[in-house]
Amino acid sequence: GENVEQHPSTLSVQEGDSAVIKCTYSDSASNYFPWYKQELGKRPQLIIDIRSNVGEKKDQRIAVTLNKTAKHFSLHITETQPEDSAVYFCAASYGNNRLAFGKGNQVVVIP
Amino acid sequence: NAGVTQTPKFRVLKTGQSMTLLCAQDMNHEYMYWYRQDPGMGLRLIHYSVGEGTTAKGEVPDGYNVSRLKKQNFLLGLESAAPSQTSVYFCASSYSRREPQHFGDGTRLSIL
């Protein structure tokens, strides 16, 4: 099956700075890579996703980059704000129908 | 449009009891999933369904059963609850395999 790893496990940034979370995956057949944000006690919510035919995608302050050769993809958050504090999960598709999730990164934005 | 609705939101069981968690979606999605979330473990897939009348095992299926009798509903059953099944359970649905999964609010289950 697919194995997805996230680094670092916890990330603290000053408000206004950028945050970068990197994920690696093992299955070269993976072709869909979503990122979810989960606030304490809430449901995971999709914030951005990328498919394997694209190398980068941006949505306002959030961007995702994909390097298929190296089998890693990264989430970039610019101009961080306190409301960006949450746990972020990356995922990669595998098999025909499933997603494998990383263990999550706790992002803390310090005002 | 309610999205994905899970019931109940909280439940406490005794070891050996059985129960069913209900997931309902109103987005006409074909794919539905049950995950469990434990501290430091991320989301682990229990069972999933690619359409009405179909189910398949995920990563951690032991001790659970599922049914998808109607397209909009996906039920997760615990036959004989064990303390190791204490967790937060999330249901999700998606239109297709390369489309985003939409999650419900979760069910917090404690087994004593």
Side-chain angles (χ1 to χ4, degrees):
Chain A
E2 174 68 280
N3 183 38
V4 176
E5 295 190 0
Q6 288 186 240
H7 308 277
S9 58
T10 304
L11 179 63
S12 295
V13 296
Q14 288 292 138
E15 182 178 355
D17 287 351
S18 295
V20 181
I21 305 169
K22 180 177 174 179
C23 281
T24 59
Y25 62 98
S26 60
D27 187 349
S28 58
S30 294
N31 56 21
Y32 175 62
F33 307 90
W35 282 91
Y36 286 85
K37 175 184 180 182
Q38 187 178 30
E39 297 176 358
L40 189 62
K42 300 283 184 67
R43 70 176 77 182
Q45 291 196 297
L46 179 81
I47 54 171
I48 196 166
D49 58 5
I50 192 168
R51 290 171 175 78
S52 57
N53 58 344
V54 176
E56 183 174 356
K57 184 176 178 181
K58 189 174 181 181
D59 182 4
Q60 298 182 356
R61 296 187 297 109
I62 293 172
V64 56
T65 57
L66 172 64
N67 184 327
K68 287 195 68 182
T69 303
K71 288 193 275 189
H72 67 71
F73 55 112
S74 300
L75 178 71
H76 305 254
I77 307 173
T78 58
E79 300 172 23
T80 52
Q81 300 168 6
E83 53 264 37
D84 294 329
S85 295
V87 176
Y88 291 82
F89 292 96
C90 63
S93 62
Y94 74 102
N96 284 326
N97 310 298
R98 291 166 281 184
L99 289 177
F101 285 83
K103 289 182 168 52
N105 292 92
Q106 176 74 59
V107 173
V108 178
V109 179
I110 303 165
Chain B
N1 215 356
V4 179
T5 303
Q6 291 184 233
T7 52
K9 295 190 188 309
F10 305 95
R11 185 74 184 268
V12 178
L13 290 178
K14 294 182 180 179
T15 297
Q17 287 185 316
S18 62
M19 80 161 294
T20 301
L21 281 64
L22 172 64
C23 176
Q25 53 93 6
D26 61 2
M27 297 175 281
N28 201 34
H29 285 169
E30 289 292 338
Y31 293 66
M32 296 188 75
Y33 307 84
W34 275 107
Y35 295 92
R36 60 177 289 173
Q37 186 174 38
D38 302 294
M41 297 294 292
L43 290 155
R44 292 185 292 169
L45 183 64
I46 304 171
H47 286 280
Y48 65 100
S49 168
V50 300
E52 181 179 316
T54 74
T55 63
K57 293 181 180 180
E59 197 181 338
V60 288
D62 294 342
Y64 304 95
N65 57 72
V66 287
S67 64
R68 183 101 181 266
L69 298 179
K70 293 183 179 180
K71 184 177 182 178
Q72 63 268 33
N73 296 337
F74 194 29
L75 278 63
L76 177 71
L78 281 72
E79 299 153 344
S80 178
S84 61
Q85 294 177 305
T86 293
S87 188
V88 179
Y89 291 85
F90 284 100
C91 175
S93 71
S94 66
Y95 181 71
S96 71
R97 62 186 178 91
R98 286 184 62 189
E99 293 296 322
Q101 292 185 16
H102 301 264
F103 284 80
D105 286 333
T107 295
R108 191 172 297 274
L109 184 60
S110 294
I111 298 159
L112 307 177

